[in-house]
Amino acid sequence: MLLSLPALHLQTSEYHPLFQLPHGRLGPWCSPTGSPAPLSCETGCGEGSWILVYRLLVPTQVSLLSMEEDIDTRKINNSFLRDHSYATEADIISTVEFNHTGELLATGDKGGRVVIFQREQESKNQVHRRGEYNVYSTFQSHEPEFDYLKSLEIEEKINKIRWLPQQNAAYFLLSTNDKTVKLWKVSERDKRPEGYNLKDEEGRLRDPATITTLRVPVLRPMDLMVEATPRRVFANAHTYHINSISVNSDYETYMSADDLRINLWNFEITNQSFNIVDIKPANMEELTEVITAAEFHPHHCNTFVYSSSKGTIRLCDMRASALCDRHTKFFEEPEDPSNRSFFSEIISSISDVKFSHSGRYIMTRDYLTVKVWDLNMENRPIETYQVHDYLRSKLCSLYENDCIFDKFECVWNGSDSVIMTGSYNNFFRMFDRNTKRDVTLEASRENSKPRAILKPRKVCVGGKRRKDEISVDSLDFSKKILHTAWHPSENIIAVAATNNLYIFQDKVN
Amino acid sequence: MLGKGEKRKFDEHEDGLEGKILSPSDGPSKVSYTLQRQTIFNISLMKLYNHRPLTEPSLQKTVLINNMLRRIQEELKQEGSLRPVFASAAAAAAAAAASPPSGAPGGPKPEDPKLMDSLPGNFEITTSTGFLTDLTLDDILFADIDTSMYDFDPCTSASGTASKVAPVSADDLLKTLAPYSSQPVAPSQPFKMDLTELDHIMEVLVGS
């Protein structure tokens, strides 16, 4: 489906200076001020001129509003900010991904839409201003479908987006819902041909009798238009729900993983795929383990890993056999007997697995921890970070309200020195692997004052609660940060909090 | 498996019931442990059968809940808490004990094909007949089900032991359940009554 949208070039206010923390490598995270344009992402507040909660309106309507007076726009936007009734479930962001240069940021939502943001070119006049992210393109990637055989709906929710490396002027990305993967081409058009012989300027066919001369159409400049077109549709290859897609380093193939199978595709071929992993038992009653995530090695195109609901990671080499049911490496940490409970298996289920940029490590996220594994050591992780261990005593409640099944993602920074993951109450956590320092931050409009740096948050576990601390029982479990992304080379992060997208940058001198 | 004889420590954060593993062999905490296990068992069953999603339920979630149920069933079996209500059930239990491998996966047999491949709404028809065919695990499943929770009058059965156990967990759910729990070792009821009660309960749960 084509949705042409003029690229919005928005005004931005001047960049503001920030405080520097006296020590520690993790700089203060702040929300830079930004433009009042409605579709840009909220980056904390600046002077009350901020956006929001994005995607409250269809893009075209909102862009019309932004063309009018700025002051009115601010007022309108602020009122949308406060009026939560506009937020619908379809606006819940379900995936966030930077492209390989960090120039583009894509988000997918529960309504099957993809919104791509583009970083503004840094202006040479204003040296201190960092590029802001503005809406570049919006399109409907997937529509809801109905499986007639099972009488069930197939959700249009975008589970994952993965970018392809840029090879020409156009951008390509893969987006997937539960059943179908699509390759989208996003390209710019700033010229259009004029002077056709058979069509007039509006595209209507001319009466042949009136054509008396011949001319060659010429390309004339036009307003920049960004088009998204589906180039490939990879369908009907998954019986179960797709949870991961991963582009191979050969840029010719990619894999899609569902609960029980992993398929290998060639980008050019949509009507067949290779099944490379199949853990479906002959007797479904014997099923006790499912695949939860999968990823290709960043450099070795024959290697990939997949994680399971039992807390194990398998590394497979496609050169070994066509069907990689026998792993090359098997990563599992022995259970800690002192922490055993009814919920041990459930909280050990891995919700995300990510290779480091170097390809030497993998990071896994289970319900309470993030673990870093060295590919050369299978018997235990080299690092374990507690994300929210205070939830260990609440597991029964979290089981009952299904929160224990929440799938948190985790990300590396560009240099693999810091890892980040989300938590509840709109908190997200960062762990510096070198200094072993960690910080908890909150992505919330209410707490972001204009020109302020994000204040580290703390959860108080018991005993006396200090001022500014929040007690475990006051945590809002409906506000969960499942999806985050880190710019590939800079300290810019994107955090999805339900239907809000936050972009934070660290301070620059 | 679960339970290794660790004593539950008194602990300021009141996470005793959830945080640490309780041993079924300890005296006073055995009931707490059993209560917790029962609660989790009930929650798990409700999760599997209580909702009618328009979309396919998550296979991962279903598998994890199923594993939870199986583990609890295994544990109950190992504790020998089978209470045959029929003589034939006793014979079946003996047979099942003799052939554990077939018994264990066979437990959720009526459930599994339904869980994995078919609609969630077919519960009433398939499982009631399914349970009839596998009496051994029926005893485990139904004998331990605390159906008083679904009764609308407060349970005032002989829950003396349970009421003596001070709620040790900050978990609200358990606190709510404590006054309503019947003893895990309730006197056996006629199997017939269990079935009709179960049908009634399922009707309530499914909302038909």
Side-chain angles (χ1 to χ4, degrees), chain A residues 475-487:
Chain A
L475 293 174
D476 187 343
F477 288 94
S478 66
K479 293 188 185 161
K480 48 194 95 172
I481 291 182
L482 305 173
H483 313 288
T484 60
W486 203 309
H487 189 285

Side-chain angles (χ1 to χ4, degrees), chain A residues 150 152-153 241 259 284-285 287-288 340 342-343 345 349 393 395-397 399-400 402 407, chain B residues 1 15 18 21 36-37 40 44 47 54-56 59-61 63 67-68 70-71 112 119 171:
Chain A
K150 296 182 191 169
L152 291 171
E153 271 180 25
H241 291 179
D259 294 310
M284 277 297 271
E285 297 153 27
L287 178 67
T288 57
R340 198 122 48 95
F342 284 109
F343 307 101
E345 190 198 1
S349 175
S393 57
L395 292 178
C396 197
S397 308
Y399 179 62
E400 205 242 345
D402 276 355
K407 294 191 195 158
Chain B
M1 296 296 291
D15 66 350
E18 296 205 62
I21 191 66
Q36 182 190 17
R37 182 174 61 195
I40 295 172
S44 304
K47 273 191 191 308
L54 295 167
T55 57
E56 230 169 319
L59 185 63
Q60 182 200 358
K61 198 167 140 188
V63 165
N67 290 352
M68 174 81 88
R70 277 191 194 146
R71 236 179 297 128
D112 279 4
L119 294 173
D171 189 337

Side-chain angles (χ1 to χ4, degrees), chain A residues 83 174 216 220 278 288 314 424:
Chain A
D83 190 342
L174 285 175
V216 177
R220 296 211 190 282
D278 188 339
T288 57
R314 288 170 176 81
Y424 294 105

Side-chain angles (χ1 to χ4, degrees), chain A residues 212-417:
Chain A
T212 53
T213 59
L214 201 64
R215 58 184 174 172
V216 177
V218 290
L219 289 175
R220 296 211 190 282
M222 59 179 258
D223 287 338
L224 182 67
M225 192 180 289
V226 182
E227 297 174 323
T229 46
R231 303 297 291 176
R232 305 271 187 277
V233 177
F234 305 92
N236 303 322
H238 286 281
T239 311
Y240 303 98
H241 291 179
I242 297 175
N243 51 53
S244 312
I245 46 176
S246 177
V247 179
N248 206 347
S249 50
D250 62 8
Y251 304 154
E252 287 183 1
T253 56
Y254 76 93
M255 71 163 151
S256 56
D258 67 28
D259 294 310
L260 298 179
R261 298 193 177 99
I262 302 181
N263 294 332
L264 180 72
W265 300 85
N266 182 304
F267 280 110
E268 302 302 319
I269 300 169
T270 59
N271 58 357
Q272 47 179 304
S273 65
F274 286 106
N275 176 240
I276 53 177
V277 174
D278 188 339
I279 64 167
K280 183 176 183 215
N283 186 356
M284 277 297 271
E285 297 153 27
E286 290 162 12
L287 178 67
T288 57
E289 192 175 8
V290 297
I291 297 170
T292 52
E295 199 182 43
F296 269 117
H297 191 283
H299 311 308
H300 304 306
C301 56
N302 54 288
T303 306
F304 65 92
V305 292
Y306 68 93
S307 58
S308 82
S309 57
K310 285 196 172 169
T312 66
I313 307 105
R314 288 170 176 81
L315 184 140
C316 299
D317 186 335
M318 293 196 291
R319 299 171 298 189
S321 68
L323 188 62
C324 301
D325 273 357
R326 265 189 252 140
H327 49 262
T328 305
K329 293 198 188 209
F330 182 74
F331 299 84
E332 188 180 27
E333 184 176 26
E335 199 183 351
D336 177 7
S338 64
N339 266 341
R340 198 122 48 95
S341 77
F342 284 109
F343 307 101
S344 292
E345 190 198 1
I346 297 183
I347 62 170
S348 75
S349 175
I350 292 174
S351 50
D352 195 14
V353 67
K354 292 266 169 50
F355 272 100
S356 65
H357 291 91
S358 61
R360 284 187 56 194
Y361 305 103
I362 47 177
M363 165 168 57
T364 58
R365 174 71 155 99
D366 52 60
Y367 191 62
L368 297 177
T369 72
V370 185
K371 296 182 170 139
V372 176
W373 305 73
D374 187 320
L375 281 188
N376 299 319
M377 186 162 74
E378 299 169 51
N379 58 349
R380 60 179 175 83
I382 55 170
E383 294 155 30
T384 300
Y385 300 94
Q386 301 295 332
V387 181
H388 37 217
D389 200 58
Y390 45 78
L391 296 183
R392 201 176 285 273
S393 57
K394 309 277 177 202
L395 292 178
C396 197
S397 308
L398 296 166
Y399 179 62
E400 205 242 345
N401 65 12
D402 276 355
C403 281
I404 209 174
F405 299 106
D406 285 337
K407 294 191 195 158
F408 293 94
E409 293 172 7
C410 53
V411 290
W412 298 87
N413 75 339
S415 58
D416 298 337
S417 58

